[in-house]
Amino acid sequence: MLKVIHGFVGLLAVCFVLAGMLAGCSDEPGRAATPNVNSSQDVEATKRAAEQGDAKAQLDLGTMYFQGRGVAKNEVEAAKWFQKAAEQGNALAQTVLGTLYREGKGVAQDDAEAVKWFQKAAEQGLAMAQNELGLMYAEGLGVAKNEAEAVKWLRKAAEQGDAKAQYNLGLRYTNGLGVAQDYAEAVKWWQKAVEQGNAAAQNGLGFMYFKGQGVAQNYAEAVKWYRMAAEQGNAAANYNLGEMYEEGQGVPQNDDEAQAWFCKAVKQGAVEELNGVAEQGDADAQYYLGLIYGKGRCLPKDPAAAREWYQKAAAQGHEDAKKELEALRN
């Protein structure tokens, strides 16, 4: 079963997609971040206001250039206008600019500069910036790694109702990073996130029911949450649901159904994501790659590749990997 703790769910999931953030967030309650562009007059009016120093118009114009709405898509031009709005203290523009620096879009990649802008927005109370700042501290990107500081900022965002921060904070409790390990507390935060439809939290809650951590073990409940996350396209949930069908846990045993869910996971990039984590030395990811290749889960069986990944996981003391290695020898 792909863990929430490791595997391709990731220790710290990517928190938001920039374009999605621009489409769905705002620095003002009830005001959409994506500007309405219905004509060339709208574009010219926004440009005039931006050039006159209106921070909201600068944010809107940056968004237009970033998304190619009413103007030719131009990430460098977008960054220029986001910077102007950010320098006037616009918290959403500061968060977007921080993301551009982190991702190297329209500007040279610079984690320290990303942290600077996330910090400015976070101190203004913008939850998405607090979440991002927490992740930078957790990963040690652009700032010295500090688990306690990561939890502090993630908690601020989570308490404001940010679903991604609630998921990330729950993940910290699951792992015992920056806080004492507390499965019940992890479940509490993931339950808040799933109420907002967060797929990663749905998968995480399913895993907790599967393991009986923080809740009573309940395979049927695990399947329910895995299915909800899988229907949103969560690759880990698709894989986990496949394992439930393969083992007949919470659902009737069905190899064809299991293979169908494994294939969905593979098509959604499960192997690529697992590879990335496994190459960083994660034993669970190495073990699951071994399973995918060893059992032919929507890929042709490859005993050599399976053996390689099992050996790497076993060398780190992974007991299940050791058993699979023994089975290959026999």
Side-chain angles (χ1 to χ4, degrees), residues 160-235:
Q160 289 196 68
D162 186 279
K164 297 179 181 70
Q166 290 168 345
Y167 168 72
N168 288 322
L169 184 58
L171 201 58
R172 312 299 291 175
Y173 276 107
T174 304
N175 288 274
L177 295 171
V179 290
Q181 188 176 58
D182 188 332
Y183 293 133
E185 193 70 9
V187 167
K188 181 188 88 171
W189 286 108
W190 283 344
Q191 285 175 331
K192 290 178 183 292
V194 301
E195 289 171 4
Q196 300 185 63
N198 184 280
Q202 290 167 344
N203 179 60
L205 198 54
F207 182 77
M208 300 304 259
Y209 276 108
F210 174 77
K211 297 292 288 185
Q213 294 175 336
V215 289
Q217 188 176 56
N218 186 324
Y219 290 151
E221 196 71 8
V223 167
K224 182 187 87 172
W225 289 109
Y226 286 151
R227 193 180 302 278
M228 289 177 70
E231 288 172 351
Q232 291 198 63
N234 184 281

Side-chain angles (χ1 to χ4, degrees), residues 59-171:
L59 173 65
D60 286 347
L61 188 56
T63 303
M64 290 177 186
Y65 276 112
F66 188 83
Q67 297 179 336
R69 291 170 56 86
V71 293
K73 184 179 174 72
N74 187 326
E75 291 180 352
V76 173
E77 193 70 10
K80 181 186 86 172
W81 289 105
F82 288 139
Q83 178 105 22
K84 289 180 181 292
E87 288 171 349
Q88 292 200 66
N90 184 289
L92 181 55
Q94 291 169 343
T95 308
V96 173
L97 187 60
T99 305
L100 293 179
Y101 274 110
R102 187 185 61 193
E103 303 300 327
K105 290 183 177 293
V107 292
Q109 200 281 333
D110 189 330
D111 287 333
E113 195 70 8
V115 168
K116 181 184 88 172
W117 290 109
F118 288 148
Q119 183 92 36
K120 289 178 182 292
E123 289 173 353
Q124 291 193 63
L126 189 64
M128 70 172 72
Q130 293 168 342
N131 179 59
E132 291 307 309
L133 184 58
L135 295 181
M136 299 300 274
Y137 273 109
E139 294 279 19
L141 297 174
V143 68
K145 185 170 183 174
N146 188 322
E147 302 288 4
E149 195 72 7
V151 168
K152 181 186 88 171
W153 288 107
L154 291 174
R155 190 183 304 281
K156 285 178 181 289
E159 288 174 347
Q160 289 196 68
D162 186 279
K164 297 179 181 70
Q166 290 168 345
Y167 168 72
N168 288 322
L169 184 58
L171 201 58

